[in-house]
Amino acid sequence: MRRFLLSWILIAQSASMSAASELAVFHTTSFGGSRSVTLSLAESAVSHDSAFDFDVVITLSEFDGAGAVLYRDGGQHKASVRCVSPATVRINSADYGVYVSARPGADWKHDLWAALCKAPVS
């Protein structure tokens, strides 16, 4: 049942992400108002690893104060996310615990977890 629900959420997210012309930004960090870096979900799918819920591809972009793109990373940064306790983000072979009570914007790993695991279900 959990896998079915996760698949349904991913389908709904993919449809809404496809409808939007931009990537799904899940975290933004500002540097003194003159520059900002955004992390976005380029892809997400049900994880192939049963210990995780999602496999994702993250992109990185840098913008100036007016919103013009200064840099867009062409790399494919893969990560896996576990929604249930212990909430975890895996990058390469390193596991990072997620403090699920963190405030939004404080940590990009929490924001990634929240974007995937706290998605509204209707």
Side-chain angles (χ1 to χ4, degrees):
M1 178 66 178
R2 183 171 151 221
R3 285 278 182 191
F4 172 77
L5 180 60
L6 287 173
S7 296
W8 186 84
I9 290 170
L10 278 175
I11 290 167
Q13 280 183 333
S14 296
S16 64
M17 286 169 50
S18 297
S21 61
E22 298 180 9
L23 299 170
V25 174
F26 66 86
H27 181 80
T28 301
T29 299
S30 296
F31 299 96
S34 63
R35 292 189 178 197
S36 63
V37 172
T38 63
L39 300 176
S40 305
L41 285 174
E43 298 175 22
S44 61
V46 174
S47 183
H48 295 331
D49 183 339
S50 63
F52 289 86
D53 298 298
F54 298 99
D55 290 332
V56 299
V57 175
I58 300 168
T59 62
L60 178 143
S61 300
E62 181 180 1
F63 298 90
D64 68 11
V69 176
L70 297 173
Y71 175 74
R72 188 154 305 194
D73 184 8
Q76 295 211 347
H77 306 284
K78 297 180 180 181
S80 297
V81 178
R82 177 180 358 196
C83 293
V84 296
S85 186
T88 305
V89 171
R90 175 178 283 170
I91 301 165
N92 296 324
S93 59
D95 288 350
Y96 300 93
V98 174
Y99 177 57
V100 298
S101 297
R103 64 176 173 63
D107 177 55
W108 72 267
K109 293 175 290 301
H110 171 269
D111 293 348
L112 173 61
W113 174 87
L116 294 165
C117 301
K118 293 180 80 175
V121 178
S122 55

